[in-house]
């Protein structure tokens, strides 16, 4: 099994394999995109242009796809399901705005980031405003469990970023520590997406818990894939600023896997800030780090599939999502 990174700055696959899942729910996604775009008008007129740039549909919609897949949604749906998908996507978009401030990123989805266009102060406030609007949508669900889960997820995401930022960059990060970080950065929101979708399925004990576990496993897999992109994908193909992990001293999975192969691991880690990216990438290639990452991604996807295998009548679309994840990251 090999990840699809053949050479530095050469990423071969730019299509969106998740389209295969979303195409099964075309009408649902059209309704979702309309609902998402309509949220712009809830902001004050001076803020709408900036909000529109951040909210307008233009991503892969991975997390809304998880909501709909966990709901086993088809041609029929209600407004609540659309709103829950919007809650997840808006939470994601607001975290991206904050991430770009933290990382000093200038480009996202082939467009200038709010951080670059408006400055860090305005970008932070914009992300906060979208966060606040998201919590309002959660309240509209009139379901205390949903509101609690959304609030807890946002708290986990923010705490995860704080923990990573305050961590001593000269101390070696273990795999387990990385998994904890990956949960806060990505998997918590994947899990929330699956839960909010699964909650719409009534009368099936255990389905929500199974979907939540699948979301956790898929989220960690996706974070490892994203870490690989930061090391091996060109900015042109990624459509966003790359290389920020090393500059900020973050030890992500590819780097952790490389350090595990070293006899001088502690010395290397303590001097990480002065290492040259090209030198590290060459060492990663020589040590087969892409294959190590691919194996862990594959293990996580299998974990997601195992979590939902006991629900054959409900798991079809989530299993399709797992297949799309495997295609995206492993080929």
């Amino acid at each position: 099994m090999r990840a699809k990174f053949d050479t530095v700055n050469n990423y071969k696959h730019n299509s969106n394999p998740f389209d295969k899942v979303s195409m099964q729910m075309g009408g649902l996604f059209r309704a979702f995109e309309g609902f998402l775009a309509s949220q712009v008008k809830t902001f004050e007129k001076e803020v709408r242009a900036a909000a529109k740039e951040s909210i307008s549909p233009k991503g892969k919609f991975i997390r809304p796809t998880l909501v709909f897949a966990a709901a086993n949604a088809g041609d029929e749906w209600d407004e609540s399901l659309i709103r829950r998908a919007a809650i997840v996507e808006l939470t994601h978009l607001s975290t991206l705005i904050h991430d770009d401030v933290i990382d000093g990123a200038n480009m996202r989805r082939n467009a200038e980031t709010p951080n670059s266009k408006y400055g860090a102060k305005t970008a932070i406030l914009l992300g906060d405003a979208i966060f606040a609007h998201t919590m309002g949508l959660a309240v509209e669900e009139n379901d205390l469990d949903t509101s609690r889960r959304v609030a807890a997820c946002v708290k986990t995401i923010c705490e995860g970023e704080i923990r990573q930022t305050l961590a001593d960059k000269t101390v070696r990060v273990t795999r387990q520590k990385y998994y904890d970080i990956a949960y806060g950065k990505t998997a918590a929101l994947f899990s929330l997406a699956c839960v909010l979708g699964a909650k719409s399925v009534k009368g099936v004990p255990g389905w929500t818990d199974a979907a939540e576990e699948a979301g956790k496993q898929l989220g960690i897999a996706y974070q490892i894939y994203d870490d690989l992109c930061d090391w091996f994908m060109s900015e042109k193909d990624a459509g966003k600023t790359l290389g920020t992990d090393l500059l900020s001293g973050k030890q992500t999975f590819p780097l952790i896997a490389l350090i595990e192969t070293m006899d001088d691991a502690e010395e290397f880690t303590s001097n990480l800030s002065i290492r040259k990216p090209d030198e590290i990438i060459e060492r990663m290639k020589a040590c087969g780090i892409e294959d190590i990452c691919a194996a862990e991604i594959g293990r996580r996807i299998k974990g997601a599939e195992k979590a939902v295998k006991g629900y054959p009548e409900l798991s079809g679309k989530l299993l399709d999502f797992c297949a799309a994840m495997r295609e995206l990251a492993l080929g």
Side-chain angles (χ1 to χ4, degrees):
M1 185 184 299
R2 186 170 184 81
K4 299 189 298 188
F5 298 85
D6 289 346
T7 59
V8 178
N9 294 333
N10 179 22
Y11 188 70
K12 300 188 300 181
H13 300 261
N14 294 311
S15 60
N16 178 15
F18 300 104
D19 283 342
K20 298 175 183 178
V21 186
S22 60
M23 284 176 62
Q24 303 175 41
M25 303 173 279
L28 179 57
F29 270 90
R30 285 190 291 274
F32 165 72
E33 290 184 16
F35 182 86
L36 191 65
S38 72
Q39 301 309 297
V40 172
K41 69 178 183 292
T42 67
F43 293 85
E44 294 293 334
K45 63 180 182 178
E46 295 87 352
V47 182
R48 285 176 194 167
K52 183 178 181 179
E53 291 169 0
S54 299
I55 292 175
S56 295
K58 52 190 172 184
K60 291 186 177 72
F61 289 145
I62 292 174
R63 294 151 192 82
T65 300
L66 276 174
V67 175
F68 299 144
N72 197 33
D75 294 330
E76 296 183 4
W77 64 86
D78 57 24
E79 184 178 345
S80 175
L81 187 60
I82 297 289
R83 184 164 49 240
R84 291 181 184 200
I87 288 169
V88 171
E89 182 67 5
L90 289 172
T91 299
H92 171 57
L93 294 176
S94 57
T95 63
L96 293 184
I97 295 172
H98 286 164
D99 284 350
D100 289 337
V101 174
I102 293 169
D103 295 336
N106 296 319
M107 185 172 64
R108 169 81 64 177
R109 294 174 175 174
N110 292 308
E112 192 176 10
T113 63
N115 176 58
S116 175
K117 189 169 184 178
Y118 303 110
K121 291 181 181 179
T122 298
I124 290 170
L125 291 171
L126 176 61
D128 290 346
I130 296 175
F131 261 143
H133 179 69
T134 301
M135 294 308 303
L137 290 177
V139 170
E140 288 181 28
E141 281 293 288
N142 196 29
D143 174 32
L144 185 58
D145 181 64
T146 294
S147 295
R148 282 175 173 169
R149 286 181 182 270
V150 174
C153 180
V154 171
K155 182 170 179 281
T156 296
I157 293 170
C158 293
E159 287 182 339
E161 285 292 345
I162 292 171
R163 289 168 62 195
Q164 191 171 45
T165 300
L166 295 181
D168 186 342
K169 304 302 189 297
T170 65
V171 175
R172 180 176 174 182
V173 175
T174 65
R175 285 199 185 198
Q176 187 54 55
K177 180 71 171 180
Y178 170 83
Y179 298 144
D180 292 342
I181 292 170
Y183 179 78
K185 288 174 66 70
T186 303
L189 192 52
F190 272 54
S191 290
L192 177 67
C194 287
V195 166
L196 294 188
K199 278 167 62 72
S200 68
V201 177
K202 308 300 182 182
V204 184
W207 173 240
T208 298
D209 291 340
E212 182 176 21
E213 176 62 18
K216 175 183 176 180
Q217 297 299 327
L218 289 167
I220 294 175
Y222 190 84
Q223 184 58 55
I224 296 172
Y225 164 76
D226 196 57
D227 293 343
L228 272 172
C229 288
D230 199 73
W231 281 102
F232 290 97
M233 196 175 186
S234 71
E235 289 194 356
K236 179 180 178 181
D237 287 337
K240 64 179 181 179
T241 302
L242 296 175
T244 59
D245 289 339
L246 182 63
L247 291 174
S248 60
K250 295 177 184 176
Q251 295 177 44
T252 58
F253 194 87
L255 191 59
I256 291 168
L258 175 64
I259 292 171
E260 288 175 346
T261 70
M262 295 178 175
D263 294 328
D264 59 340
E266 300 306 324
E267 189 276 333
F268 179 87
T269 303
S270 64
N271 293 291
L272 188 59
S273 62
I274 63 174
R275 304 292 178 184
K276 295 180 179 179
D278 290 346
E279 169 197 346
I280 296 176
I281 290 172
E282 288 305 314
R283 293 185 71 166
M284 285 182 178
K285 292 169 66 178
C287 294
I289 300 306
E290 296 167 70
D291 290 337
I292 295 173
C293 292
E296 181 62 18
I297 291 171
R299 185 175 77 87
R300 293 289 176 172
I301 295 172
K302 287 180 180 178
E305 293 167 334
K306 180 180 179 181
V308 299
K309 69 178 295 185
Y311 301 87
E313 295 183 358
L314 295 173
S315 62
K317 290 185 174 65
L318 269 181
L319 291 175
D320 288 343
F321 186 98
C322 290
M325 185 70 192
R326 187 174 281 111
E327 179 182 345
L328 175 74
L330 306 177

